Amino acid sequence: MLVLKDIVKDYKTGDTVVRALKNVNINFREHEFVSILGPSGCGKTTLLNLVGGLDRYTSGDLFINGKSTKRFNDSDWDTYRNHSIGFVFQSYNLIQHQTVLSNVELALTLSGVS
């Protein structure tokens, strides 16, 4: 379902380039449950941001269901996020005055689920 091939992610600040990911190769199987572990600063969040389409890779390729994402536009990434992948953020990003159920219902409604 999800394949990362030689993924590189560089961050540039002025003349400085920081390589956050270097030639990452991973194959995720359909319905696989995965944990990403490692020390602070090793690239876990960067990897998740790339897999979720929240950030773009510098080089390499990310394949979703066999399709390269090199030419994905914002709409393609939005569709992918709405129908194929989910995130539970560290800070949860919940609406505080609503119940957990109400928060989930809102997310489903925004995704077109009745």
Side-chain angles (χ1 to χ4, degrees):
M1 176 195 160
L2 191 62
V3 176
L4 287 78
K5 184 170 173 60
D6 296 322
I7 292 291
V8 171
K9 176 59 181 173
D10 294 335
Y11 291 100
K12 297 178 184 173
T13 305
D15 294 335
T16 304
V17 176
V18 175
R19 179 149 290 173
L21 298 174
K22 180 180 177 184
N23 300 328
V24 174
N25 291 284
I26 304 174
N27 294 318
F28 296 100
R29 295 181 299 254
E30 192 169 356
H31 305 294
E32 184 174 30
F33 184 86
V34 176
S35 295
I36 299 174
L37 305 171
S40 179
C42 73
K44 299 179 302 289
T45 300
T46 298
L47 180 66
L48 289 174
N49 286 340
L50 295 178
V51 166
L54 301 174
D55 200 358
R56 304 295 181 262
Y57 46 90
T58 304
S59 66
D61 205 354
L62 171 64
F63 295 88
I64 300 170
N65 295 325
K67 183 178 180 183
S68 170
T69 60
K70 282 186 178 182
R71 301 197 198 294
F72 266 31
N73 59 35
D74 288 342
S75 177
D76 294 324
W77 285 113
D78 290 343
T79 299
Y80 166 63
R81 280 189 298 272
N82 282 330
H83 300 286
S84 300
I85 195 164
F87 285 95
V88 177
F89 291 96
Q90 205 165 351
S91 61
Y92 302 111
N93 294 329
L94 298 175
I95 300 171
Q96 294 297 322
H97 66 274
Q98 293 193 11
T99 66
V100 172
L101 179 60
S102 295
N103 273 277
V104 172
E105 287 174 337
L106 176 62
L108 290 171
T109 300
L110 292 173
S111 295
V113 177
S114 61

